[in-house]
Amino acid sequence: MTDEINALLKNTTWSLVPPSPLHSPVGCKWVFRIKRHSDGSIERYKARLVAKGFHQQPGIDYTETFSPVVKPATIRTVLSLAVSRRWPLRQLDVKNAFLHGFLNEDVYMTQPPGFVDPARPHYVCKLHKALYGLKQAPRAWFHRISTFLISFGFIQSRADASLFIYHHGTHQLYLLLYVDDIVLTGSDSGLLHQFITSLGHAFDIKDLGPLTYFLGLHVHYSHDCLHLSQQKYAHDLLHRHQMLDCKPTSTPLAAKPTLTAADGDLLSSPTAYREVVGCLQYLTITRPDLAFAAPSILV
C-alpha cells in the first residue's frame, strides 16, 4: 500500500484542496491481488487504490468512456507474421498505466483510507491523472499512449485501433496494445531496442523480455514455430465453475438436438452463465474446436 501511495504521489496524481460545493467527491478503496506467474506460482502481492467510479455522474465528471483493445484475430495474425519472418517477439508492461492519462474533467476524490493527511483531514483530492476505477480512465490512457506512438511515427491500423505499424526504410515494427500490456515485433533488433528505450523515457515500463505469457496465452518456442496454449486459463475456468471432475468428450456439443430459447428453466441469476460463455469464446483463440459450440449456447 505504501509503494502504491508513493507511486501515486510521484506521478502527481492529485493535489489536496478544500471541498467544492459544486462537486461531490467520489469515494475510493483498496483492492488487493496476488500476481502469479504462468505456472501459477506467486510473483508478488499487489495493492491498488481504486476510485469508486459508480459515484461519478455523466456529463459532470465524465463524458466519453470507450477504449479499444486488440482483437484476438489481430494477435494471431501478428504472431504468425513474426514467426514466418523469424522476427523477435518482445513483451512490455507499463507500470501504473492509467496514471499516465490526463483528465479533461474536474474530478474530486476522498483521501485514501489509511493515508489521510493529519494536517488537512477534511480536504479532498483533486485528480489530475486518470486513477484506476474512473469511468474515463481507460480512454484517457489509450489517448495518451496512442498520441505518443503516432508522434514517434507509428500508423494506427484501420482494421484494429490497437495495432500500430511503424515503417523506417525497409524495416518495420508492429505493436499490439491491450490496456497496459504490449507485444512488440519487428524486422530489426536495433530498431526494436531504440524504440523500447524511447518508450521507457516517456513511460515507466517493465521489459519482460521475449514473449512467453500474454493475456492468458502461453507462448512456447519450438525451432521455427510458436505453440500457443491456454492451459492455465482453461484450468481456472473449469475450477471456477466446479467442472474439474467432469468427464471429457471429443465433441463439446451434441450435433443432433436443436436448442431453442423456450427450452429449459430460467436461471435465477444469468451472470455466471454469461461469464462462462464469454470465457469459452475467448478460449477459441487456441481451441477452434469450440468455435461452433460457444456461440451456439447463446441461443
Side-chain angles (χ1 to χ4, degrees):
M1 294 167 68
T2 302
D3 292 341
E4 176 75 356
I5 286 292
N6 290 336
L8 294 173
L9 296 178
K10 179 182 177 181
N11 283 279
T12 319
T13 308
W14 64 67
S15 57
L16 289 178
V17 298
S20 171
L22 302 178
H23 296 84
S24 298
V26 300
C28 61
K29 65 177 182 179
W30 289 100
V31 175
F32 304 98
R33 287 185 57 198
I34 299 178
K35 298 278 286 187
R36 298 183 181 273
H37 295 287
S38 58
D39 59 359
S41 60
I42 296 176
E43 176 186 353
R44 62 190 173 97
Y45 297 93
K46 185 174 184 178
R48 173 166 285 167
L49 183 67
V50 177
K52 296 181 179 180
F54 54 85
H55 289 168
Q56 292 183 264
Q57 303 178 51
I60 297 179
D61 47 16
Y62 80 93
T63 50
E64 299 291 336
T65 61
F66 173 76
S67 176
V69 292
V70 66
K71 302 174 183 177
T74 306
I75 298 175
R76 293 179 61 92
T77 302
V78 172
L79 292 185
S80 63
L81 177 66
V83 172
S84 63
R85 299 186 179 182
R86 299 184 179 181
W87 290 352
L89 283 162
R90 299 286 294 274
Q91 184 175 2
L92 309 172
D93 178 71
V94 183
K95 299 179 181 178
N96 296 304
F98 284 5
L99 301 185
H100 295 286
F102 296 104
L103 293 177
N104 297 321
E105 304 87 3
D106 290 330
V107 183
Y108 297 86
M109 183 186 75
T110 58
Q111 295 191 49
F115 294 89
V116 177
D117 189 337
R120 295 171 291 180
H122 301 296
Y123 276 38
V124 296
C125 304
K126 182 178 181 180
L127 298 180
H128 308 298
K129 302 290 183 64
L131 192 68
Y132 286 85
L134 294 180
K135 292 184 179 296
Q136 67 267 49
R139 185 180 183 87
W141 156 243
F142 184 84
H143 180 266
R144 175 76 188 280
I145 184 67
S146 60
T147 301
F148 168 80
L149 294 174
I150 293 173
S151 67
F152 189 87
F154 279 85
I155 300 174
Q156 192 172 15
S157 170
R158 294 184 179 181
D160 192 328
S162 294
L163 169 62
F164 296 85
I165 305 171
Y166 178 78
H167 296 276
H168 181 74
T170 59
H171 298 298
Q172 297 175 324
L173 294 180
Y174 288 81
L175 184 144
L176 300 174
L177 178 66
Y178 191 99
V179 191
D180 56 353
D181 292 310
I182 296 174
V183 172
L184 184 65
T185 187
S187 58
D188 183 70
S189 299
L191 186 60
L192 273 175
H193 180 74
Q194 177 185 348
F195 170 71
I196 292 174
T197 302
S198 300
L199 187 65
H201 291 157
F203 306 99
D204 188 7
I205 66 171
K206 183 178 181 181
D207 188 352
L208 302 177
L211 178 64
T212 55
Y213 187 68
F214 178 69
L215 304 178
L217 292 172
H218 294 264
V219 181
H220 302 278
Y221 298 86
S222 176
H223 302 292
D224 295 332
C225 65
L226 282 182
H227 179 263
L228 303 180
S229 69
Q230 293 171 285
Q231 182 177 357
K232 182 178 182 299
Y233 181 85
H235 184 275
D236 292 343
L237 175 60
L238 292 173
H239 177 73
R240 191 183 313 134
H241 296 278
Q242 295 84 43
M243 298 186 68
L244 280 174
D245 297 327
C246 292
K247 295 181 180 179
T249 178
S250 58
T251 304
L253 183 70
K256 292 184 178 180
T258 302
L259 301 178
T260 67
D263 290 340
D265 299 326
L266 294 177
L267 298 175
S268 58
S269 175
T271 302
Y273 180 78
R274 291 169 180 167
E275 287 179 355
V276 72
V277 170
C279 292
L280 288 173
Q281 289 178 329
Y282 187 72
L283 197 59
T284 59
I285 297 177
T286 58
R287 291 291 303 273
D289 55 314
L290 301 178
F292 173 75
S296 297
I297 59 179
L298 284 173
V299 178

